[in-house]
């Protein structure tokens, strides 16, 4: 774990940034659905905006899950290795996506599947 102490701190900071953002998104969606305009065209626009915000919320939720899983891997000395093939993930990839579970080869295979 000591080798990835800085990564764990980075992941924790990111988690601390995303959790309040998710709360704001939830509030935004809740309030937007409560106060729809009387105008039908305006309602359509408001609903479309709510869908976009909801998608952002779903993406944020998924990122939070991935970050928590990465922190767990750091804590269990399993961080930095591909969950698919077991090879060490390149440090450059971890610098860009510190919560990634897969090496570049396995990630590309999953995308193309």
């Amino acid at each position: 774990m000591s080798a990835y102490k800085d990564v764990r701190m980075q992941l924790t900071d990111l988690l601390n940034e995303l959790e309040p953002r998710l709360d704001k998104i939830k509030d935004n969606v809740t309030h937007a659905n409560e106060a729809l305009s009387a105008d039908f065209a305006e309602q359509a626009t408001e609903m479309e905006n709510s869908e976009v915000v909801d998608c952002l919320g779903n993406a944020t939720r998924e990122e939070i899950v991935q970050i928590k899983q990465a922190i767990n891997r750091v804590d269990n000395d399993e961080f930095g290795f591909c969950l698919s093939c077991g090879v060490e993930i390149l440090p450059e990839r971890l610098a860009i996506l510190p919560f990634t579970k897969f090496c570049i080869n396995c990630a590309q295979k999953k995308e193309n599947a």
Side-chain angles (χ1 to χ4, degrees):
M1 182 176 133
S2 60
Y4 292 110
K5 185 178 179 181
D6 290 341
V7 173
R8 190 185 195 291
M9 202 172 350
Q10 178 187 4
L11 290 166
T12 302
D13 289 346
L14 187 54
L15 188 62
N16 290 335
E17 178 184 317
L18 289 175
E19 287 177 330
R21 184 183 308 168
L22 182 59
D23 290 339
K24 289 179 185 177
I25 290 171
K26 287 178 189 176
D27 287 346
N28 188 307
V29 170
T30 301
H31 291 98
N33 290 333
E34 291 173 353
L36 288 176
S37 174
D39 179 52
F40 181 72
E42 187 64 28
Q43 281 182 8
T45 302
E46 290 169 351
M47 294 295 284
E48 192 174 283
N49 290 343
S50 288
E51 288 177 16
V52 170
V53 172
D54 192 42
C55 285
L56 289 172
N58 290 337
T60 303
R61 250 184 239 97
E62 178 58 31
E63 192 171 352
I64 287 171
V65 167
Q66 290 177 4
I67 291 167
K68 287 181 178 180
Q69 290 172 347
I71 290 170
N72 189 47
R73 289 193 303 277
V74 170
D75 292 346
N76 292 313
D77 292 325
E78 300 168 351
F79 184 80
F81 296 94
C82 179
L83 293 183
S84 185
C85 71
V87 74
E88 189 171 356
I89 300 171
L90 294 174
E92 296 85 3
R93 179 165 171 77
L94 290 172
I96 295 168
L97 281 172
F99 50 85
T100 189
K101 301 181 236 185
F102 304 109
C103 68
I104 190 69
N105 291 332
C106 290
Q108 287 174 340
K109 287 177 190 174
K110 288 187 181 300
E111 272 186 22
N112 295 328

